[in-house]
Amino acid sequence: MTERAGEAAMLADVALRRAGFGLDVTCTVAPGEVVAVLGPNGAGKSTLLSALSGLVRPERGRIALGDRVWLDTDHNVDLPAHRRGVGLLAQNALLFPYLSALDNVAFGPRAAGAGKRTARTIAERWLARVDAADLAGHRPGRLSGGQAQRVALARALAADPELLLLDEPLAALDVDAAPALRGLLHRVLRSQHRPTVLVTHDVLDAVVLADRVLVLVDGRIAEQGPTRAVLARPRAAFTARIAGLNLVPGIAEEEGIKTGEGVISGRIAEPVEQGEAAAAVFAPSAVAVHRECPHGSPRNALRVRLAGLEPRGDVIRLRAAARLMGEDPVLAADVTPAAVADLGLAAGDEVFFVVKATEVAIHPASGGSSSP
């Protein structure tokens, strides 16, 4: 029996070669799962998306959504892009400039054969889901970047795609618009059942949106796994570089997130509901190190055990394990050599990492979160 659209797993096994570059990737994405593809420039992220969407034909490969085969080079099967049922949200909204937001969103259902009234009803429903119902009559020229991306997301989903591709969807937004759209994507993706592939350079996108992470280096998978596990103990040099923030997992509460040792307080960076998975995010440079837990202070204090000390220019990065929520995240603190000497720090020592609440940002977490 054929699986319904949006409820089938995706399997991709593709390989191609170009001048000086080769892509060889095998991956699966379950229904409702979001897989983030990370990697340096030139790693093959965009080429992978182009192969999945049908814009690039691999030299060898097979792509299937459940029992529906899109590509099988051994049997000369290669569905064109317009027949693959792919929804795409890219950096730029790419809305039709002379159509209203409502008609932009209705375009997909109309192209699939829906009547005008039905297509407009679908479009109205999706605009409401992305908090853009009041923009229905506006043309793209009157929309801000964040508003245009909301409409573009509605358009991608209104066509009921079998596979959703997100290609750096927040990269072109300013620092005020990006968190709001990231929070919206978190809510929308959590409630849908189609497989989703997200290409991003931003570790927060992976933390908030992705269930799993796949890291590409030179066209091949360098590491992959649950978001929390990959970012907690990165094996590839690129992953270690981008996982430069402390990401502490927990459960959202009114004042921050609950961990195994109490509550970490911080500012709400993106909308998060109490009781759902969340992450406290802070930079290693924001951490102070103490031998004893400071008292009478509004600061957050985490008991950790030092795992290593690494010279980094003018500072020394301390890496430490903290037992929180049944996890064992590795946290980092950047301190001066003088502080290390004054405290007499060495691997194996138990100390406290202390950070002000104003330096902590609270984000929702999709596939779990973790630290550098």
Side-chain angles (χ1 to χ4, degrees):
M1 182 174 64
T2 302
E3 294 167 294
R4 292 185 298 166
E7 295 184 1
M10 184 204 74
L11 168 65
D13 179 9
V14 296
L16 63 83
R17 290 201 170 277
R18 293 176 174 171
F21 173 77
L23 178 72
D24 193 344
V25 171
T26 300
C27 65
T28 60
V29 187
E33 184 180 39
V34 180
V35 172
V37 181
L38 306 175
N41 291 333
K45 303 184 300 297
S46 295
T47 303
L48 175 60
L49 285 196
S50 295
L52 295 176
S53 64
L55 299 177
V56 168
R57 178 186 170 97
E59 297 170 1
R60 175 196 62 74
R62 190 176 192 274
I63 302 172
L65 266 289
D67 56 11
R68 184 165 180 246
V69 179
W70 290 358
L71 172 76
D72 189 337
T73 53
D74 289 342
H75 296 86
N76 201 31
V77 175
D78 185 13
L79 289 186
H82 68 275
R83 291 182 56 199
R84 292 199 179 192
V86 171
L88 174 65
L89 181 64
Q91 290 185 33
N92 299 313
L94 302 177
L95 299 173
F96 299 119
Y98 300 111
L99 295 181
S100 67
L102 181 66
D103 289 335
N104 263 281
V105 178
F107 180 85
R110 287 282 285 162
K116 184 175 182 180
R117 179 174 296 179
T118 299
R120 288 175 69 89
T121 299
I122 294 171
E124 288 170 350
R125 184 168 68 247
W126 275 108
L127 283 173
R129 286 193 64 181
V130 302
D131 301 330
D134 58 333
L135 304 175
H138 294 191
R139 288 189 176 182
R142 295 182 57 192
L143 303 178
S144 68
Q147 290 172 334
Q149 282 296 73
R150 288 174 184 265
V151 175
L153 174 61
R155 182 177 65 177
L157 293 170
D160 194 22
E162 294 181 72
L163 173 67
L164 183 61
L165 303 180
L166 307 178
D167 188 5
E168 299 275 9
L170 308 178
L173 300 183
D174 60 38
V175 293
D176 295 321
L181 185 61
R182 189 184 291 114
L184 172 67
L185 280 169
H186 172 75
R187 297 193 299 274
V188 171
L189 294 179
R190 189 175 55 176
S191 64
Q192 56 92 45
H193 303 291
R194 57 184 53 79
T196 300
V197 178
L198 163 70
V199 164
T200 182
H201 282 91
D202 193 331
V203 67
L204 285 180
D205 292 347
V207 170
V208 174
L209 303 176
D211 302 295
R212 286 193 297 119
V213 168
L214 184 156
V215 180
L216 285 185
V217 176
D218 295 330
R220 286 169 171 74
I221 298 175
E223 57 184 316
Q224 62 180 316
T227 305
R228 180 179 302 166
V230 171
L231 296 180
R233 287 175 173 77
R235 295 193 301 272
F238 170 81
T239 319
R241 285 198 304 274
I242 65 165
L245 294 173
N246 288 308
L247 307 169
V248 179
I251 303 298
E253 291 198 345
E254 184 175 356
E255 297 181 356
I257 68 166
K258 183 179 181 180
T259 71
E261 290 195 348
V263 175
I264 296 180
S265 300
R267 55 185 175 82
I268 304 300
E270 297 171 39
V272 55
E273 296 180 6
Q274 292 187 44
E276 75 171 357
V281 180
F282 52 95
S285 59
V287 179
V289 181
H290 295 256
R291 281 287 186 182
E292 303 294 334
C293 183
H295 297 287
S297 169
R299 295 175 293 178
N300 299 296
L302 300 171
R303 187 194 305 271
V304 301
R305 186 173 297 278
L306 295 182
L309 292 78
E310 307 167 4
R312 293 200 171 197
D314 295 333
V315 300
I316 293 183
R317 172 156 293 186
L318 308 180
R319 293 193 178 274
R323 189 71 176 172
L324 302 167
M325 296 298 294
E327 302 291 336
D328 214 4
V330 176
L331 305 181
D334 289 343
V335 299
T336 64
V340 172
D342 289 344
L343 292 169
L345 300 177
D349 288 354
E350 189 173 89
V351 297
F352 289 88
F353 278 7
V354 179
V355 58
K356 295 179 181 178
T358 54
E359 299 288 342
V360 178
I362 306 297
H363 297 265
S366 180
S369 56
S370 111
S371 48

